[in-house]
Amino acid sequence: MSGPIATIHVLFSVLAIAVGVVIFSIRRGTPVHRRLGYVYIGAMLALNGSALMLYARDGSFGPFHIAALLSLATLTAGAVPVMLRRPRGGWLPLHWELMSWSFVGLIAAAVAEAVFRIPGIAYWPSIITGTLAVFVGGGAWVYRNRRHMRQAAGHVTGA
């Protein structure tokens, strides 16, 4: 992976991770949260768009392109409830959960990218192991916080 598209991909990946960490660290629903959310969405669109332009030597569409499409789907599914305030009474927890999964997927991709570059580690086993580890840990985090998010959303979902 080299060239200007790869550089763009890496830069927007780092931006999305940094902004995502901040978003999950600050109070939700604030103007800062909203602005950073737009930055996160823009960075994710750029990194997934660039991922769809990166090809192996043979130029074929591969599993990482599918992952980019799934990431775009999760990102879109997480953004739409906020913009439409739908479903009524349930858009906030839906937004939180889908954006959480978007971030988990981003971290899984970063871990897979880092792990497979360790010398002496097999390519596919490292990617699968790294990705599964992050999704299991991230899934546990989403599950643990789901009830709290639904309870907190009960106070503001009519907005």
Side-chain angles (χ1 to χ4, degrees):
M1 185 164 87
S2 63
I5 294 173
T7 301
I8 289 167
H9 181 74
V10 170
L11 290 175
F12 280 108
S13 299
V14 171
L15 177 62
I17 290 170
V19 170
V21 166
V22 173
I23 287 172
F24 282 105
S25 301
I26 64 173
R27 188 167 167 243
R28 290 177 285 278
T30 64
V32 171
H33 174 93
R34 288 184 196 111
R35 278 194 249 17
L36 288 175
Y38 287 119
V39 173
Y40 177 78
I41 289 170
M44 290 295 288
L45 290 172
L47 84 88
N48 283 302
S50 62
L52 292 170
M53 292 187 273
L54 293 170
Y55 286 91
R57 289 187 183 114
D58 65 359
S60 63
F61 187 87
F64 298 107
H65 296 103
I66 294 168
L69 292 172
L70 290 172
S71 177
L72 286 168
T74 305
L75 181 70
T76 302
V80 168
V82 171
M83 293 185 283
L84 300 178
R85 300 290 200 248
R86 298 278 186 264
R88 191 164 181 83
W91 66 267
L92 189 58
L94 183 61
H95 164 70
W96 178 84
E97 188 155 345
L98 290 165
M99 294 309 274
S100 295
W101 281 113
S102 169
F103 189 68
V104 168
L106 173 63
I107 298 302
V111 167
E113 179 72 26
V115 170
F116 97 80
R117 294 187 180 280
I118 298 171
I121 295 182
Y123 182 76
W124 282 111
S126 67
I127 289 174
I128 292 168
T129 303
T131 301
L132 282 177
V134 172
F135 271 101
V136 167
W141 178 81
V142 170
Y143 180 77
R144 267 195 326 270
N145 289 288
R146 179 183 289 149
R147 192 179 86 209
H148 170 70
M149 187 61 215
R150 289 177 195 253
Q151 288 171 344
H155 301 287
V156 292
T157 53

